[in-house]
């Protein structure tokens, strides 16, 4: 019997664990380690952030599901990977710390034959001075953030209804932030909701992005087929923003946020300030911060992880035999 340990129960970890169990059956053990008791469908947070979906519509508890599927589950946070084992332990293992209330803080060591690291991106709010979720700015990167964003957006809508002009800023909160597509969708959702409430003339929405051209979305653009025409996504994105009455600032790296003010530098070196009443800015991402430790307890961080904390991968997604990896 082999043991496969999956770190993280997000979109990739949960999918990997589900398929591994389905394919490996009872002959092998699949273990999931993840700090939250929930799986959350992150893409739907753009709906939670405008009040169209509730928190519990985009998440479910993992424990029951994993029990039914025969997957061993630990509500814990992995803190270190020991791929060569240790002096006391021949086999590779992962050290984790429980996050569930009954065992909170207790350490657990789990051996593995195969390890899947699916811990996703850590939201690096500290990467931009003043980019503080819930205080200066909002995010829709997690369901609880999106709930909070919606609470604050409603206050903006109320003010606009009372004829107070409101400025909304949506986009990327760092020159290296990604996930522009999610923020773009959220900008359109907010504009749509303002129109539904007939307050669009009181709300000025601006899309601020680090993209070189609109519609890059971190994937070097694309082409869109619409009404029989194939158009570059740059034109598509620009025309959609115009249609929704949204202005834009591109090639902008946000480097500082203060209450109601965002400071950004554009690619040509010019520096600017933009005021806002409500801002939803995506932070930069780092890895989950798991340590990599060698057999003698030495630090082997550089072997497993990049300086930004993400795991080293070959970034070649073509199918291969396991031995070829
Ligand atoms: C609002 C929004 C909308 C989006 N829409 C789309 C879309 O339409 N299409 C698209 O392709 N992508 C979209 N994305 C991006 C997509 O959500 C991410 O690419 C995806 O969630 C990444 O999956 P993941 O499993 O790698 O990470 P995550 O889904 O973030 O999961 C990471 C998991 O690891 C766990 N974890 C963290 N640290 C540890 C640790 N130390 N030990 C163990 N577990 C840990 C977390 O709790 C979580 O369960 C969107 C993102 C956002 C924010």
């Amino acid at each position: 019997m082999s043991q496969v340990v999956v770190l993280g129960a997000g979109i990739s970890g949960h999918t990997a664990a589900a398929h591994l169990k389905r394919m490996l059956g009872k002959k092998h053990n699949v273990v999931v380690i993840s700090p939250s008791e929930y799986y959350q469908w992150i893409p739907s947070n753009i709906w939670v952030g405008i009040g169209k979906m509730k928190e519990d519509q985009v998440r479910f508890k993992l424990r029951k599901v994993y029990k039914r599927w025969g997957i061993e589950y630990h509500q814990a946070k992995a803190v270190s990977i020991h791929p060569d084992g240790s002096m006391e332990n021949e086999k590779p293992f992962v050290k984790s710390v429980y996050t569930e209330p009954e065992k909170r803080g207790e350490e657990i060591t789990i051996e593995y034959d195969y390890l899947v690291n699916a811990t996703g991106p850590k939201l690096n709010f500290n990467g931009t001075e003043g980019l503080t979720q819930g205080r200066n700015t909002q995010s829709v990167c997690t369901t609880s953030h999106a709930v909070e964003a919606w609470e604050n957006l409603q206050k903006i809508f109320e003010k606009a209804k009372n004829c107070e002009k409101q400025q909304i800023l949506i986009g990327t909160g760092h020159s290296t932030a990604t996930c522009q597509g999610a923020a773009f969708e959220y900008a359109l959702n907010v504009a749509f909701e303002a129109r539904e409430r007939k307050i669009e003339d009181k709300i000025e929405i601006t899309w601020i992005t680090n993209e070189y051209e609109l519609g890059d979305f971190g994937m070097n653009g694309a082409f869109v087929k619409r009404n029989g025409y194939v158009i570059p996504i740059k034109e598509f994105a620009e025309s959609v923003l115009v249609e929704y009455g949204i202005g834009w600032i591109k090639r902008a790296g946000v480097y500082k946020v203060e209450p109601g003010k965002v400071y950004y530098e554009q690619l040509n070196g010019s520096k600017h300030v933009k005021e806002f009443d409500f801002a939803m800015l995506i932070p930069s991402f780092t890895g989950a911060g798991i340590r990599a430790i060698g057999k003698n307890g030495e630090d082997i961080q550089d072997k497993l992880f990049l300086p930004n904390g993400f795991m080293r991968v070959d970034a070649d997604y073509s199918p291969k035999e396991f031995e070829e990896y």
Side-chain angles (χ1 to χ4, degrees):
M1 175 179 280
S2 290
Q3 173 139 294
V4 187
V5 172
V6 180
L7 306 181
I11 291 177
S12 51
H14 180 70
T15 308
H19 285 293
L20 281 166
K21 193 63 204 170
R22 180 179 59 77
M23 291 189 275
L24 297 174
K26 288 184 179 155
K27 279 195 238 150
H28 304 284
N29 204 23
V30 175
V31 181
V32 172
I33 300 171
S34 195
S36 169
E37 61 179 319
Y38 291 100
Y39 169 86
Q40 57 170 287
W41 176 244
I42 293 176
S44 287
N45 289 338
I46 58 155
W47 301 109
V48 177
I50 50 152
K52 281 281 190 278
M53 288 182 92
K54 298 274 175 227
E55 203 167 12
D56 281 333
Q57 289 177 292
V58 301
R59 64 179 194 177
F60 59 81
K61 287 192 176 169
L62 293 163
R63 193 173 295 280
K64 250 191 183 171
V65 176
Y66 286 159
K67 196 171 174 206
R68 202 168 67 231
W69 291 352
I71 292 173
E72 186 181 320
Y73 167 60
H74 297 271
Q75 194 193 322
K77 183 180 163 173
V79 289
S80 57
I81 299 174
H82 304 248
D84 304 317
S86 67
M87 296 308 274
E88 299 79 39
N89 198 342
E90 277 281 295
K91 288 193 81 169
F93 61 91
V94 174
K95 275 191 185 173
S96 307
V97 174
Y98 278 109
T99 52
E100 64 177 271
E102 299 79 43
K103 298 185 192 167
R104 192 181 298 276
E106 274 179 43
E107 201 178 86
I108 178 176
T109 297
I110 299 178
E111 292 178 355
Y112 65 81
D113 297 288
Y114 300 96
L115 181 71
V116 178
N117 180 15
T119 46
K122 185 172 163 189
L123 306 175
N124 184 24
F125 288 104
N126 292 335
T128 307
E129 187 185 336
L131 191 73
T132 42
Q133 150 64 23
R135 202 145 49 91
N136 290 346
T137 58
Q138 306 296 317
S139 116
V140 288
C141 294
T142 72
T143 309
S144 58
H145 290 176
V147 168
E148 212 175 323
W150 171 229
E151 280 166 13
N152 285 297
L153 185 61
Q154 287 176 85
K155 292 178 197 160
I156 297 295
F157 283 168
E158 272 312 305
K159 286 184 185 167
K161 262 190 214 159
N162 294 329
C163 290
E164 278 182 56
K165 202 101 177 134
Q166 297 295 297
Q167 292 196 58
I168 293 182
L169 189 63
I170 297 175
T172 49
H174 190 270
S175 54
T176 67
T178 53
C179 223
Q180 294 93 346
F184 191 83
E185 287 175 319
Y186 187 62
L188 299 185
N189 278 359
V190 171
F192 181 86
E193 289 301 314
R195 255 188 212 180
E196 285 282 285
R197 288 166 174 76
K198 301 193 180 1
I199 50 173
E200 71 269 30
D201 58 326
K202 295 285 171 298
I203 291 192
E204 181 197 299
I205 306 177
T206 306
W207 168 243
I208 184 163
T209 179
N210 54 17
E211 294 159 297
Y212 190 77
E213 294 294 358
L214 298 200
D216 180 276
F217 296 144
M219 55 181 193
N220 220 3
F223 290 91
V224 178
K225 208 172 180 184
R226 208 187 193 193
N227 304 332
Y229 293 97
V230 177
I231 53 167
I233 204 164
K234 170 184 179 290
E235 282 166 33
F236 176 75
E238 287 176 357
S239 65
V240 168
L241 290 187
V242 170
E243 199 179 314
Y244 278 76
I246 301 173
W248 64 81
I249 302 166
K250 62 184 178 181
R251 302 172 194 174
V254 170
Y255 62 89
K256 189 165 111 177
V257 185
E258 285 176 354
K261 264 187 202 168
V262 92
Y263 295 78
Y264 64 95
E265 181 176 3
Q266 284 186 294
L267 211 52
N268 60 11
S270 58
K271 290 193 170 175
H272 309 266
V273 182
K274 174 84 184 146
E275 296 196 341
F276 64 83
D277 299 291
F278 173 97
M280 196 300 288
L281 298 177
I282 305 269
S284 57
F285 296 152
T286 62
I290 301 172
R291 304 302 304 167
I293 315 279
K295 196 170 180 68
N296 300 309
E298 72 277 22
D299 189 321
I300 54 164
Q301 198 71 8
D302 288 355
K303 274 194 184 166
L304 256 63
F305 296 99
L306 293 163
N308 65 4
F310 283 113
M311 195 155 217
R312 291 185 185 277
V313 291
D314 65 4
D316 174 359
Y317 303 109
S318 55
K320 285 185 218 150
E321 291 300 317
F322 180 77
E323 288 70 25
E324 292 175 53
Y325 278 95

